[in-house]
């Protein structure tokens, strides 16, 4: 019997004399791509397969010629077939709500990122309801998803949701509201609040000689102290820059999940009762900030307020571009970038890579002075493309 050729490939520990090394190398290059959306350059592929760059280049070009790979840009390559070894993970995503612009943007970015990573994303809407959030958790367990990304604000059911996933041995990532046993991804709420509070105080010192006579804090009590830490940060930021914060009344209101209509009604009633003359307003998100602004505007006393939002939403950015608007700032969280980062974090968890217990997003103060610099493409995004 003819002995296996030198350098023959091993399958299950057995030398196979009929293995063709060129085919093995070509297959290793195809398997270097984790999905059909991943783009790699020559250096990346050579490093992953452990071949010399010259050999890798010849193989890449051959695979392009045979339509198994395609060029992506000047130096990149993309795989045209789904590698058989790649596991298609199924991830459950519990969206907080479709009513808030911020969470809608997060959802859109997650869907795009999951598709690009060849992840099957099962999307359910928690609808700002603790009952529905619990039902959705049961659905994810029943469907045996590999991991859950949960965005729900009702801290009262956080422990129950955590137990469901723990007993099912399903890892999960909590967006914006920490949950027991979950990896946290989202805002550093207190830090974001302090950024806004400091700007409110500086604006007040510059524009109101007599200083503010009241502070309004628009929160979401269902989320407990975690989301409302933004408002604690607002107060501390005001006091850090000025001395008036300790000496004027602060009025805290629950906005029923941070929704526009509920906040509008609350602020209207506050205006009728308190007749504010110089009110600093710290809002838990941009929806409540814009609702407060509308209430003051309706009453004809817009100049009696100065409002700080949170999220850096498109609507808030448009408002800050209006001349003399009293939405004087918002803290940007860049929800459009959530998807790629969260899906990457989820895949690291599923591949048993080390991950931190908390991943915080970037925060940046947006004002009328810098909004065009931070978001230069807003006008382009709103305008329909010209016909060619």
């Amino acid at each position: 019997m003819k002995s296996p050729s030198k350098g023959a490939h091993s399958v299950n520990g057995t030398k196979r004399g009929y293995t063709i090394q060129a085919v093995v190398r070509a297959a290793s290059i195809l398997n270097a791509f984790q999905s059909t959306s991943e783009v790699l350059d020559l250096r990346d592929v050579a490093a992953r397969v452990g071949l010399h760059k010259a050999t890798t280049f010849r193989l890449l070009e051959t695979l392009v010629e045979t339509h198994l790979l395609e060029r992506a840009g000047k130096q990149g390559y993309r795989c045209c077939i789904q590698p058989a070894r790649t596991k298609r993970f199924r991830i459950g995503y519990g969206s907080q709500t479709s009513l808030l612009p911020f969470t809608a943007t997060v959802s859109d970015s997650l869907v795009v990122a999951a598709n690009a990573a060849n992840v099957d994303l099962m999307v359910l809407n928690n609808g700002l309801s603790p009952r529905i959030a619990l039902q959705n958790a049961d659905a994810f367990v029943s469907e045996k998803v590999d991991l859950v990304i949960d965005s729900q604000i009702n801290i009262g059911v956080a422990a129950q949701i955590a137990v469901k996933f723990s007993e099912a041995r399903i890892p999960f990532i909590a967006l914006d509201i920490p949950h027991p046993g979950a990896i946290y991804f989202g805002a550093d709420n207190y830090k974001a609040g302090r950024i806004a509070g400091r700007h409110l105080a500086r604006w007040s010192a510059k524009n109101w000689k007599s200083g503010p006579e009241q502070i309004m804090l628009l929160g979401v009590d269902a989320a407990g102290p975690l989301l409302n830490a933004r408002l604690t940060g607002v107060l501390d930021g005001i006091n850090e820059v000025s001395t008036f914060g300790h000496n004027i009344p602060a009025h805290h209101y629950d906005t029923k999940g941070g929704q526009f209509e509920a906040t509008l009604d609350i602020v209207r009633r506050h205006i009728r009762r308190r007749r504010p003359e110089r009110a600093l307003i710290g809002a838990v998100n941009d929806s409540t900030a814009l609702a407060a602004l509308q209430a003051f505007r309706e009453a004809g006393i817009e100049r009696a307020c100065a409002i700080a939002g949170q999220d850096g939403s498109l609507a808030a950015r448009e408002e800050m571009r209006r001349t003399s608007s009293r939405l004087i700032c918002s803290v940007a969280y860049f929800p459009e970038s959530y998807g790629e980062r969260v899906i990457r974090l989820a895949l690291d968890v599923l591949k048993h890579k080390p991950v931190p217990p908390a991943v915080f997003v970037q925060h940046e103060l947006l004002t009328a002075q810098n909004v065009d610099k931070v978001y230069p493409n807003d006008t382009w995004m709103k305008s329909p493309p010209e016909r060619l």
Side-chain angles (χ1 to χ4, degrees), residues 56 63 81 111-112 116 135 143 182 207 219 265 321 330 334 342 366 384 387:
T56 304
L63 292 169
I81 60 173
V111 169
V112 171
Q135 291 175 350
E143 290 291 328
N207 293 274
D265 182 59
R321 292 184 174 102
S330 181
F334 306 102
V342 174
L366 295 180
R387 293 183 178 273

Side-chain angles (χ1 to χ4, degrees), residues 217-237:
L217 302 171
L218 306 174
V220 177
D221 292 354
L226 301 168
L227 191 60
N228 281 344
R230 298 178 186 180
L231 307 183
T232 305
V234 167
L235 278 179
D236 287 353

Side-chain angles (χ1 to χ4, degrees), residues 157-171:
V157 297
Q160 293 169 266
I161 289 173
V163 167
K164 291 178 184 292
F165 295 146
S166 175
E167 290 181 346
R169 298 184 181 278
I170 298 174

Side-chain angles (χ1 to χ4, degrees), residues 22 33 41 50 65 76 90 106 147 171 177 207 209 213 279 361 365:
F33 293 84
D41 62 18
E65 188 174 336
R90 193 175 193 208
V106 170
L147 179 143
I177 303 297
N207 293 274
K209 292 182 179 179
E213 41 82 30
V361 300
L365 182 73

